[in-house]
Amino acid sequence: MRAVRCAAPRLRQFDRRVIENEDLMQTPENFHIRPALVEDVPIILKLIRDLATYERAPDEVTATEEQLREVLFGHRRSAEVLLAFEGESAVGFAVYFYNFSTWLGRAGLYLEDLFVKPEKRGKGYGRALLVELAKIARDRGCGRMEWAVLNWNEPAIKFYQTLGARPMNEWTVFRLTRDEIAKLADAADTAATTDSDRE
């Protein structure tokens, strides 16, 4: 499913419903969420690897701590991270960045990863992370929130639907990998050089 979309009115409705019903999130008192700091990079990378293992692709993670420091905390930040803690132990995270809707004329919040360690599920931590993201999206004037979920991940799909999110079944995601991007760009460069040589 790529992408689940919540338009602005839906987002406000979801945010209000969850915040007014705090009993929906029976989280322990020692649970808290905070923005990640640069010193949290090792924790972030560990959670990324845990997520990849859960998604049956443990060998596909090529990110390094150095790369994460640059893209998350460097001069040109590409994404932001929320970390969820139970006491001093990191139990989950959310990685997000901003996209843009030409139709709405507004930025949207795109949730790249939402992960809670399997042994820590059922305590409201995933919901709490999504509520925190909804607050961020609301406060920053985002027109919508979007994210993707693997088709086989039925528990996640059902969970998202309880929040008011809906699948965008009429959309198909297309992807170019890094190698494919380079191939396409290099072909265009080669063609341009050939054309200039002819002139």
Side-chain angles (χ1 to χ4, degrees):
M1 179 172 70
R2 177 83 143 188
V4 177
R5 180 178 298 175
C6 295
R10 172 79 74 173
L11 173 60
R12 287 194 294 271
Q13 179 184 13
F14 155 63
D15 188 54
R16 189 167 55 245
R17 184 178 73 243
V18 174
I19 291 170
E20 287 175 357
N21 294 282
E22 291 295 334
D23 60 326
L24 290 175
M25 295 182 298
Q26 304 268 333
T27 53
E29 291 182 10
N30 63 344
F31 173 79
H32 66 281
I33 296 170
R34 65 165 173 80
L37 306 172
V38 67
E39 54 265 32
D40 295 318
V41 165
I43 294 172
I44 296 168
L45 184 55
K46 174 67 166 66
L47 288 167
I48 290 170
R49 289 175 174 153
D50 289 346
L51 170 59
T53 298
Y54 176 76
E55 292 190 349
R56 308 172 186 172
D59 299 326
E60 292 186 25
V61 176
T62 61
T64 65
E65 289 187 13
E66 183 179 0
Q67 286 175 322
L68 292 176
R69 280 190 199 93
E70 179 61 29
V71 298
L72 298 176
F73 303 101
H75 179 65
R76 292 182 59 187
R77 297 182 180 187
S78 299
E80 299 179 56
V81 179
L82 293 177
L83 289 173
F85 290 88
E86 190 178 79
E88 298 300 314
S89 176
V91 295
F93 76 143
V95 180
Y96 64 99
F97 57 90
Y98 297 94
N99 54 19
F100 182 75
S101 167
T102 53
W103 287 17
L104 297 178
R106 290 180 178 272
L109 188 151
Y110 189 88
L111 175 59
E112 175 66 19
D113 289 327
L114 176 71
F115 178 70
V116 174
K117 292 183 177 182
E119 68 273 17
K120 297 296 182 179
R121 293 177 186 173
K123 299 183 178 184
Y125 296 166
R127 182 184 291 271
L129 280 164
L130 278 167
V131 168
E132 195 63 29
L133 289 167
K135 291 178 182 179
I136 291 169
R138 177 198 62 196
D139 295 346
R140 297 184 186 180
C142 294
R144 63 192 183 199
M145 288 174 60
E146 295 179 323
W147 61 94
V149 61
L150 290 165
N151 290 332
W152 57 259
N153 196 345
E154 286 293 332
I157 291 169
K158 290 177 181 176
F159 168 62
Y160 296 142
Q161 288 173 334
T162 66
L163 303 178
R166 50 191 165 83
M168 304 300 288
N169 294 322
E170 68 272 27
W171 292 84
T172 299
V173 177
F174 286 85
R175 173 180 293 173
L176 289 175
T177 64
R178 190 172 183 181
D179 288 344
E180 291 156 351
I181 291 168
K183 184 178 179 181
L184 181 61
D186 292 347
D189 290 344
T190 301
T193 301
T194 302
D195 290 342
S196 66
D197 288 345
R198 288 174 183 164
E199 294 173 0

